[in-house]
Structure formats: C-alpha cells, structure tokens
Amino acid sequence: MADEHHAVRLETGVTLVNALTGEHVHGRPKPALRGQELVRAAAEALGNGQVDLLTAERLRNLASRLREIIESLSRRDPDLAAGLLNRMLVDSKARPSLHRDGEQSWHLRFHGPEADLVQRWAAGLAVAVAAALGDDIPHRVGLCAAPRCDQVYLDASQAQIKRFCGLACQNRVKAAAYRARRSGS
C-alpha cells in the first residue's frame, strides 16, 4: 500500500514538473506560464481546483527543485540527487505520522496538520522520491531523449527501457532517423 501511495505521488510529481517547468515540449518551445495560466496548470496537475497565484508560484518552485533531482538522476549522478533530496526533506519538514479523518482508518502522512497545500505536497514528493532512490530505482524517472524536449517521464514498464516522454517524441526521433538514412543512400 505504501509503495502504491509513493507511485501515485511520483506520477503527480512528474505531472507537476512537466506542467510548470521546462523550456521545450515535443520539439516546440514551451511558453512561460504566468497569472491565471499558471494557476490553471498547477490546479490541473494536482487535480485540485483550490490553487491561487501565490500557491501556484510556490508549486512551480517545488517542481523546479524536483526537476533538478530528476535531471541529476538522468545524468547518473545519484550522489547529487541524494544531496538535493536531503535538502528538500529538511526544508519540507517531512515527518511520518499516523492520521485518521473521522471514522476512516488510520493512514500515514508525512506532514503535520498545520501544513498548507504546498508543504503537504513537498513532504509527500520528497518522501516518495527518497523511497524510489532508496529502493535503487532512480532509472524509473528520466528526461526525454528527443531533441528539443525536456519533459520528464516515469518508466513503469517491466523492461525499464523507456527513453521518451511519449509517442510524439519517439515517433519524431524515428522519423528523423529514417529521413537521415534515406538521404544518406
């Protein structure tokens, strides 16, 4: 159950990073998000309509920190990733505790009851990424290998050979390689 919870957090973290950071997507420049566009993108990434502009800016900062960790993992630098992650764990004040809402069963959280939306996500994401790094699965997250795309991905496949953020980039790279082979003959 905890692994499933961490996996959901990682998926949401990847969505947040892709929605709020980066300069290119699928070979095209990605416009910088401002104002209500930023608020809308943050709310959609979290599946939560309760995001204001200040919260969206703080979420973008969180996503930038997470991107830096994923980039260091993609460069096969787990020591740098661990250092960045340890700083994120400290800053988020992540601490495990059991909570129960009303008559529901107890569940594990990594933030106190006073935490706001960004603090809750920061703690949850930091713990989820730390669990992934601690379980020696940093290869499950990465940066798209296609030119002019800096989207991140989570590889849930058994083969663990994912290189692209999606089919659009995979097809772009395959088509370019085909054209290169055809022009060389």
Side-chain angles (χ1 to χ4, degrees), residues 68-178:
E68 193 175 1
I69 292 166
I70 292 170
E71 287 174 350
S72 62
L73 290 172
S74 289
R75 291 189 308 267
R76 305 284 191 252
D77 191 347
D79 293 339
L80 176 60
L84 294 168
L85 192 51
N86 281 335
R87 181 81 251 152
M88 192 172 166
L89 284 163
V90 168
D91 292 347
S92 72
K93 299 179 179 128
R95 62 185 188 277
S97 60
L98 291 170
H99 289 268
R100 186 158 113 180
D101 298 320
E103 296 297 316
Q104 294 180 359
S105 62
W106 290 93
H107 52 278
L108 185 61
R109 289 191 182 160
F110 296 96
H111 55 79
E114 74 287 350
D116 67 16
L117 178 73
V118 178
Q119 292 167 326
R120 291 191 309 263
W121 276 102
L125 287 171
V127 169
V129 176
L133 187 57
D135 287 343
D136 198 28
I137 58 168
H139 53 277
R140 295 281 189 164
V141 294
L143 289 173
C144 185
R148 295 175 312 283
C149 185
D150 57 10
Q151 297 287 282
V152 299
Y153 62 81
L154 184 62
D155 184 357
S157 71
Q158 286 259 322
Q160 302 172 15
I161 57 170
K162 188 170 182 172
R163 295 182 36 228
F164 302 103
C165 65
L167 285 176
C169 281
Q170 181 178 343
N171 290 341
R172 247 181 351 104
V173 169
K174 284 183 178 182
Y178 174 77

Side-chain angles (χ1 to χ4, degrees), residues 49-78:
Q50 305 299 316
V51 176
D52 60 21
L53 184 55
L54 178 60
T55 300
E57 291 285 353
R58 290 176 59 215
L59 286 167
R60 179 168 32 204
N61 289 338
L62 172 61
S64 294
R65 291 181 77 179
L66 190 56
R67 172 179 283 283
E68 193 175 1
I69 292 166
I70 292 170
E71 287 174 350
S72 62
L73 290 172
S74 289
R75 291 189 308 267
R76 305 284 191 252
D77 191 347

